[in-house]
Amino acid sequence: MEAATEFVVESPDVIYSPDTIEAQYEYRTTSVSREGGILKVHPTSTRFTFRTARQVPRLGVMLVGWGGNNGSTLTAAVLANRLRLSWPTRTGRKEANYYGSLTQAGTVSLGLDAEGKEVFVPFSSLLPMVAPDDLVFDGWDISSLNLAEAMRRAQVLDWGLQEQLWPHMEAMRPRPSVYIPEFIAANQSARADNVIPGTRAQQLEQIRRDIRDFRSSAGLDKVIVLWTANTERFCEVIPGLNDTAENLLRTIQLGLEVSPSTLFAVASILEGCAFLNGSPQNTLVPGALELAWQRRVFVGGDDFKSGQTKVKSVLVDFLIGSGLKTMSIVSYNHLGNNDGQNLSAPPQFRSKEVSKSSVVDDMVHSNPVLYSPGEQPDHCVVIKYVPYVGDSKRALDEYTSELMLGGTNTLVLHNTCEDSLLAAPIMLDLALLTELCQRVSFCTDIDPDPQSFHPVLSLLGFLFKAPLAPPGSPVVNALFRQRSCIENILRACVGLPPQNHMLLEHKMERPGLKRVGPLATASPVLCKKGSVPTAPNGCTGDANGHSQAEAPQMPTT
Ligand SMILES: NC(=O)c1ccc[n+]([C@@H]2O[C@H](COP(=O)([O-])OP(=O)(O)OC[C@H]3O[C@@H](n4cnc5c(N)ncnc54)[C@H](O)[C@@H]3O)[C@@H](O)[C@H]2O)c1
């Protein structure tokens, strides 16, 4: 079906004004209490008023690690789309697109039309969002190569596309960055020819000046900063050093231990710019989170969820959700890009291993029938550097689950993925969704003062391997729950009910829902042989090769 691009919700609960979309929304939940061995479940309801500013800003994105594979690929992708480029390949011409982006290539179902067919619209049309072609890029890198040279070094894009992009990327040059050798692998030192000198405090000030300079020279309304530089080693959280905002700022002033990524996070927050961490290390130490809270600036992380982990967060959800007891998950990766080389050093690998390892926790905890308290599947992650495969990462996974009566089910997957072509659309979604969230405010019937989302923007969990959540909030890893969260919150902002997939109207003996169009007038037996109306689930009268029989007459009393 052709995707419509615009829609209007006609409801007394939704008001469109020139500046805002205001929607009333009944948030229905259930609270559960335990009394004397019995669970008591209470349906609850809170009325929300969502307000979304319609004016889309001119948005700039600053990438830390701009000259890396991900940074150069994202910049190239946006330029290729903006310029509507096409290029020859051995299988024919290819055209620029945004495949892999939830906002640009994903759709949502609005409901059923008069013929009972589902109507899908692009995800990006749910609410006014910045168009990716309009994004303006800038950034930092410890390597001084311009973006055209960086694109060539990355070896990600077809040669014909590189040739066309070259003149557009040649003038883009990363700003000098903060290089602290002990945080990334020693094998990266040869790249570091573009560094900010001085003390930590001076480096922080330079980053802040860079953000301000970009904002004013490019005439931007907003800037978002995204860390896509090398994976760093973990930073120890030490009381007095980085445990509070005050201590972290003092640590920077005194030149004590702080990672480059935390320095960038602090600079962004102080400049009022959202900061997103695409790598696994613990950039957002407690002091940085507290600073984000104090300044009410969005932060999100950690580690883009692009390949193996994404599959895992679907597959384990499917296995455990189906009642199979997954007992071991073994994941081997090999890759040959610079990320792989950096991860070949043990401290940096350790960061990645930690971020990859907790991805099934919520699914395991969700099923106390299969797992007793504290029980976990064995989970092992191995990453090897194999230069020849370049950016074309291989992920080999084995999932072993227990079946009924002592049976075993072993699933083996081999996934070859173009690492940076998976990461770039995720980076795009992160920037666009974060910006959108900055324009949404809401109040509730019990707290009428307008508020924003919590600065730890957990709504972005779909896009991160180890999603950050506000203190005390559950961490959700299951991919489709994460997607539903984004979709349903955006639907709520235009007064639409959550997507529930019940399709109750097709599960009834008698069609009791009031409908417009042919189905409303159809007889209780919907799929008669011969004249078969198309049902909203795509049913044509045949189900899996069986033509659907007339419904039996139900006894009447
Ligand atoms: N599918 C994916 O590509 C994927 C998925 C999840 C996470 N990541 C993470 O994204 C990050 C980037 O991946 P990549 O493939 O682009 O790696 P890359 O090595 O090609 O790029 C990293 C860039 O960061 C630069 N850099 C290093 N330290 C810096 C600093 N302090 N300041 C500024 N620049 C610095 C390097 O010079 C390099 O150009 C890695 O940490 C990786 O683990 C990637």
Side-chain angles (χ1 to χ4, degrees):
M1 174 182 288
E2 199 183 313
T5 51
E6 271 186 41
F7 67 90
V8 176
V9 179
E10 295 191 323
S11 153
D13 286 341
V14 185
I15 301 168
Y16 292 85
S17 72
D19 296 332
T20 58
I21 301 173
E22 188 176 308
Q24 302 291 324
Y25 181 76
E26 203 67 38
Y27 178 53
R28 294 178 194 281
T29 51
T30 45
S31 71
V32 183
S33 59
R34 196 181 289 271
E35 284 171 38
I38 294 180
L39 294 179
K40 302 228 165 141
V41 183
H42 314 271
T44 60
S45 171
T46 309
R47 193 147 180 91
F48 274 73
T49 305
F50 283 100
R51 218 169 264 119
T52 309
R54 300 178 78 172
Q55 182 68 42
V56 168
R58 187 166 153 78
L59 178 64
V61 177
M62 293 191 92
L63 301 174
V64 196
W66 195 18
N69 283 21
N70 289 348
S72 58
T73 303
L74 174 61
T75 311
V78 167
L79 281 170
N81 276 279
R82 187 185 299 159
L83 298 164
R84 306 274 178 271
L85 295 186
S86 74
W87 63 98
T89 69
R90 64 183 171 191
T91 55
R93 287 196 84 76
K94 297 281 178 207
E95 287 179 1
N97 60 41
Y98 284 118
Y99 290 173
S101 157
L102 173 71
T103 60
Q104 306 307 305
T107 61
V108 292
S109 166
L110 283 182
L112 308 180
D113 69 8
E115 279 92 46
K117 289 196 189 133
E118 244 178 321
V119 178
F120 293 94
V121 292
F123 210 102
S124 58
S125 67
L126 269 177
L127 283 169
M129 287 190 206
V130 172
D133 291 3
D134 297 339
L135 289 177
V136 187
F137 287 100
D138 200 312
W140 303 264
D141 204 295
I142 55 171
S143 159
S144 64
L145 287 197
N146 70 47
L147 262 284
E149 291 168 322
M151 165 181 67
R152 184 150 296 170
R153 173 176 60 186
Q155 299 180 0
V156 171
L157 303 176
D158 286 328
W159 190 258
L161 178 57
Q162 288 190 34
E163 293 275 278
Q164 292 185 62
L165 287 168
W166 188 277
H168 303 278
M169 294 177 71
E170 209 176 357
M172 297 176 170
R173 197 166 281 282
R175 296 168 191 259
S177 191
V178 178
Y179 177 52
I180 310 178
E182 68 259 31
F183 278 94
I184 57 176
N187 59 36
Q188 299 295 306
S189 62
R191 279 171 99 99
D193 64 353
N194 194 35
V195 300
I196 305 176
T199 63
R200 297 288 171 257
Q202 288 166 335
Q203 289 169 332
L204 179 77
E205 282 313 309
Q206 182 57 48
I207 301 167
R208 295 186 62 178
R209 268 197 300 277
D210 288 342
I211 296 173
R212 289 197 294 268
D213 173 60
F214 176 46
R215 199 196 313 243
S216 64
S217 61
L220 302 165
D221 303 309
K222 273 186 199 175
V223 172
I224 288 176
V225 177
L226 208 163
W227 178 274
T228 182
N230 286 146
T231 296
E232 298 173 335
R233 70 157 166 80
F234 261 74
C235 209
E236 213 182 325
V237 175
I238 299 176
L241 192 79
N242 49 19
D243 56 335
T244 66
E246 196 186 345
N247 289 342
L248 180 57
L249 292 174
R250 193 179 47 237
T251 288
I252 294 170
Q253 290 308 317
L254 296 177
L256 303 176
E257 179 170 289
V258 61
S259 67
S261 63
T262 301
L263 215 49
F264 274 93
V266 169
S268 310
I269 295 165
L270 293 176
E271 287 303 312
C273 299
F275 176 87
L276 305 164
N277 177 30
S279 299
Q281 71 279 338
N282 61 339
T283 298
L284 293 161
V285 290
L289 290 177
E290 191 185 38
L291 191 65
W293 171 256
Q294 288 171 353
R295 305 277 172 143
R296 297 294 192 274
V297 175
F298 285 149
V299 291
D302 294 318
D303 206 4
F304 306 130
K305 180 148 81 168
S306 57
Q308 186 176 57
T309 310
K310 199 171 212 159
V311 174
K312 196 173 287 178
S313 66
V314 173
L315 209 63
V316 177
D317 195 28
F318 138 63
L319 290 166
I320 295 178
S322 316
L324 299 179
K325 186 172 183 182
T326 302
M327 295 301 289
S328 91
I329 306 164
V330 185
S331 298
Y332 299 93
N333 301 261
H334 60 271
L335 71 169
N337 56 18
N338 189 56
D339 183 27
Q341 189 175 19
N342 182 59
L343 292 174
S344 63
Q348 286 68 34
F349 164 71
R350 179 68 192 136
S351 296
K352 199 59 144 186
E353 188 183 38
V354 169
S355 114
K356 277 176 168 261
S357 62
S358 52
V359 65
V360 299
D361 288 358
D362 56 330
M363 302 161 224
V364 171
H365 294 150
S366 77
N367 197 326
V369 177
L370 294 175
Y371 300 95
S372 42
E375 194 181 1
Q376 287 275 356
D378 294 337
H379 191 178
C380 168
V381 178
V382 178
I383 302 178
K384 291 290 170 196
Y385 176 51
V386 179
Y388 181 73
V389 303
D391 201 59
S392 181
K393 184 162 97 182
R394 270 65 160 172
L396 292 83
D397 290 70
E398 186 192 90
Y399 300 83
T400 304
S401 307
E402 281 184 10
L403 308 179
M404 68 190 305
L405 306 178
T408 307
N409 172 225
T410 302
L411 275 169
V412 179
L413 269 182
H414 184 210
N415 174 3
T416 303
C417 48
E418 306 277 335
D419 222 15
S420 305
L421 293 175
L422 288 178
I426 290 174
M427 294 158 73
L428 195 69
D429 286 337
L430 282 169
L432 302 185
L433 288 170
T434 302
E435 190 290 314
L436 170 62
C437 289
Q438 290 172 331
R439 281 183 286 117
V440 176
S441 63
F442 50 87
C443 58
T444 65
D445 47 5
I446 44 174
D447 182 0
D449 279 346
Q451 55 174 301
S452 186
F453 293 113
H454 190 284
V456 179
L457 198 52
S458 57
L459 174 147
L460 302 174
F462 177 80
L463 303 156
F464 286 121
K465 267 193 200 74
L468 277 176
S473 306
V475 175
V476 177
N477 288 293
L479 193 77
F480 292 113
R481 282 182 72 173
Q482 294 173 326
R483 191 191 196 277
S484 294
C485 163
I486 305 179
E487 178 178 340
N488 288 332
I489 289 177
L490 267 51
R491 291 171 72 94
C493 291
V494 285
L496 291 177
Q499 184 60 270
N500 59 36
H501 305 293
M502 288 162 81
L503 285 175
L504 267 184
E505 52 276 62
H506 299 290
K507 297 176 174 63
M508 299 163 73
E509 200 179 299
R510 290 181 299 281
L513 295 186
K514 191 167 167 285
R515 279 257 189 77
V516 285
L519 277 183
T521 55
S523 76
V525 183
L526 281 181
C527 295
K528 280 193 173 172
K529 277 184 196 165
S531 67
V532 178
T534 308
N537 60 357
C539 164
T540 56
D542 286 346
N544 196 21
H546 307 285
S547 43
Q548 289 179 283
E550 288 185 15
Q553 286 292 313
M554 297 303 283
T556 49
T557 49

